[in-house]
C-alpha cells in the first residue's frame, strides 16, 4: 500500500466512524415523547462550558421538580445543576458522577436517597436506559451497562424477589451496549427534530413541563419514626457512594427530598439516614414536620401530585436549600464573571417562564 492509499483508507475510516456516530446518536433514546426531558438533559449537560459547575444534584424525579438553578444563581452566584432522571437507579450513581466529572470539576454532590428502597432498586429497562442510552459512547458507558446487567442478575437471584424470570427477560444485553439495535426501526416510525440537533440549556435544568403549573391538594406526610433493616445490597450501594466521595475528594450531602411520603416508604429511608449518619456522612431529612414548616411547604398548594412539587413549591425549597448551601459550603460568587453570562440569561428565561406559566394556568381555570 502506498502512502497515498494509506491516507485515503484512514480518511475513509474516519468518515465512516463519524457517520456511524451520527447514526447511533440519531437512532438512540428518542428526543421526543416520554423520553424528551431525559435526552435533552444529557444533551444540555454535554453542551455546558467546562468546569463551571460548583455542585451537582442527582437522584429521582423529585430533584428537578424542587430545584431551580437560576434562582440560586441570582441570589448567590452559585452554579448547582440537576442531573436527575425519573426513578434514577441509585446503583449507577458513581458511574454518572464519573461522566459528569469528565467535564465539570464539581466540589459538592447532593444525592437524593429516595431510590434506596428495594422497590425503587428493582431493575427496569426504562430506568437504566434513561441514563445509559443518553450517555456518550465511552469506556465509562460500557462499565455503566456492565453494572446494570450485573445488578439485574444479582437482584433477580435474591430469594425475596418476585418474578425473577421477568427481570432477566428484559435484559437485551446487545442493545444495552449498542442502542442502535433497539431504536434503528424508528426511521419508519417517528423521528423528532431534536434527534438531529444539539440542545443548549436555556434555564439550567429547570423542569419545564406544564405540570409545573398544576396544583393538587395532597394529603400531608404522616411522619413515622419506624426504622427498617437494610439488606446487604442496600448498604453496599450506600458504601460505594460514600467511598467514591472519599476517594475523589468530594463533599457529599445525602438528602431525603421533601414531598409526600407514605408510611410504607419511610422506614427504609429512615434506615438509610441512620446508616449514613453512623458512617459519618452528612445527611438531611427534609421529610419531617420541622423541615416542612421551615421550608414553608403547603401540601394544599405546592405540589402537582403525591410526590412532586409544582413550580411554587420549587421556589420555596430552592430559596431554603440555596441559603443552606451558601452558608455551609461558601461557593465563590461568580456573578459578573466572564464565561457565566448564560446563567444570567437562564434567570431571565426562568422569570418569563414562571410568570407566563402561572398566568396561563390561572386563565385556564
Amino acid at each position: 500500500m502506498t502512502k497515498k492509499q494509506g491516507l485515503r483508507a484512514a480518511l475513509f475510516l474516519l468518515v465512516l466512524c463519524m457517520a456511524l456516530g451520527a447514526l447511533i446518536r440519531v437512532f438512540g433514546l428518542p428526543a421526543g415523547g416520554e423520553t424528551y426531558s431525559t435526552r435533552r438533559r444529557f444533551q444540555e449537560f454535554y453542551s455546558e462550558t467546562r468546569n463551571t459547575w460548583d455542585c451537582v444534584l442527582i437522584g429521582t424525579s423529585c430533584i428537578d421538580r424542587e430545584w431551580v438553578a437560576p434562582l440560586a444563581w441570582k441570589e448567590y452566584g452559585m452554579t448547582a445543576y440537576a442531573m436527575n432522571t425519573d426513578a434514577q437507579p441509585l446503583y449507577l450513581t458513581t458511574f454518572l458522577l464519573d461522566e459528569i466529572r469528565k467535564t465539570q470539576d464539581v466540589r459538592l454532590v447532593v444525592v437524593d436517597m429516595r431510590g434506596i428502597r428495594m422497590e425503587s432498586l428493582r431493575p427496569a429497562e426504562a430506568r437504566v436506559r434513561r441514563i445509559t442510552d443518553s450517555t456518550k459512547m465511552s469506556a465509562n458507558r460500557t462499565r455503566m451497562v456492565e453494572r446494570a446487567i450485573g445488578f439485574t442478575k444479582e437482584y433477580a437471584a435474591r430469594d425475596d424477589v418476585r418474578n425473577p424470570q421477568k427481570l432477566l427477560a428484559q435484559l437485551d444485553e446487545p442493545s444495552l451496549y449498542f442502542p442502535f439495535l433497539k431504536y434503528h426501526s424508528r426511521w419508519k416510525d417517528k423521528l423528532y427534530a431534536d434527534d438531529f440537533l444539539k440542545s443548549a440549556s436555556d434555564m439550567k435544568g429547570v423542569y419545564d413541563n406544564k405540570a409545573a403549573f398544576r396544583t393538587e391538594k395532597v394529603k400531608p406526610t404522616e411522619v413515622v419514626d419506624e426504622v427498617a433493616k437494610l439488606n446487604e445490597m442496600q448498604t453496599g450501594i450506600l458504601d460505594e457512594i460514600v467511598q467514591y466521595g472519599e476517594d475523589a475528594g468530594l463533599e457529599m450531602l445525602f438528602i431525603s427530598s421533601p414531598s409526600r411520603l407514605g408510611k410504607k416508604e419511610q422506614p427504609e429511608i429512615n434506615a438509610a439516614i441512620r446508616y449514613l449518619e453512623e458512617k459519618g456522612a452528612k445527611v438531611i431529612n427534609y421529610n419531617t414536620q420541622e423541615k416542612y414548616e421551615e421550608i414553608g411547604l403547603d401540601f394544599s398548594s405546592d405540589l402537582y401530585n403525591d410526590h412532586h412539587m409544582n413550580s411554587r413549591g420549587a421556589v420555596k425549597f430552592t430559596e431554603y436549600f440555596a441559603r443552606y448551601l451558601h452558608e455551609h459550603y461558601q461557593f465563590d460568587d461568580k456573578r459578573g464573571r466572564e464565561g457565566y453570562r448564560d446563567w444570567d440569561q437562564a434567570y431571565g428565561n426562568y422569570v418569563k417562564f414562571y410568570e407566563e406559566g402561572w398566568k396561563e394556568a390561572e386563565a385556564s381555570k
Side-chain angles (χ1 to χ4, degrees), residues 296-313:
L297 186 62
D298 185 341
F299 284 91
S300 68
S301 62
D302 294 339
L303 285 81
Y304 71 79
N305 64 17
D306 275 357
H307 291 295
H308 297 113
M309 290 186 185
N310 60 27
S311 56
R312 283 180 176 145

Side-chain angles (χ1 to χ4, degrees), residues 270-300:
N270 290 341
I273 292 170
R274 177 177 293 183
Y275 182 80
L276 288 166
E277 287 177 338
E278 290 174 350
K279 290 181 68 69
K282 179 65 177 177
V283 190
I284 303 177
N285 182 8
Y286 285 109
N287 290 289
T288 67
Q289 193 57 43
E290 178 185 7
K291 290 299 183 185
Y292 292 149
E293 291 174 2
E294 289 180 1
I295 296 166
L297 186 62
D298 185 341
F299 284 91
S300 68

Side-chain angles (χ1 to χ4, degrees), residues 223-318:
V223 179
V224 300
D225 296 326
E226 182 184 349
V227 179
K229 182 175 175 57
L230 300 182
N231 60 42
E232 73 286 350
M233 177 174 282
Q234 293 169 301
T235 57
I237 291 170
L238 295 176
D239 289 344
E240 182 179 279
I241 298 172
V242 170
Q243 189 61 53
Y244 180 96
E246 292 178 358
D247 293 342
L250 296 171
E251 295 184 275
M252 308 290 288
L253 173 59
F254 295 86
I255 68 170
S256 175
S257 293
S259 69
R260 184 185 182 280
L261 277 178
K263 290 183 179 180
K264 293 183 179 180
E265 296 175 290
Q266 296 177 58
E268 284 176 284
I269 296 175
N270 290 341
I273 292 170
R274 177 177 293 183
Y275 182 80
L276 288 166
E277 287 177 338
E278 290 174 350
K279 290 181 68 69
K282 179 65 177 177
V283 190
I284 303 177
N285 182 8
Y286 285 109
N287 290 289
T288 67
Q289 193 57 43
E290 178 185 7
K291 290 299 183 185
Y292 292 149
E293 291 174 2
E294 289 180 1
I295 296 166
L297 186 62
D298 185 341
F299 284 91
S300 68
S301 62
D302 294 339
L303 285 81
Y304 71 79
N305 64 17
D306 275 357
H307 291 295
H308 297 113
M309 290 186 185
N310 60 27
S311 56
R312 283 180 176 145
V315 168
K316 289 182 179 181
F317 179 72
T318 298

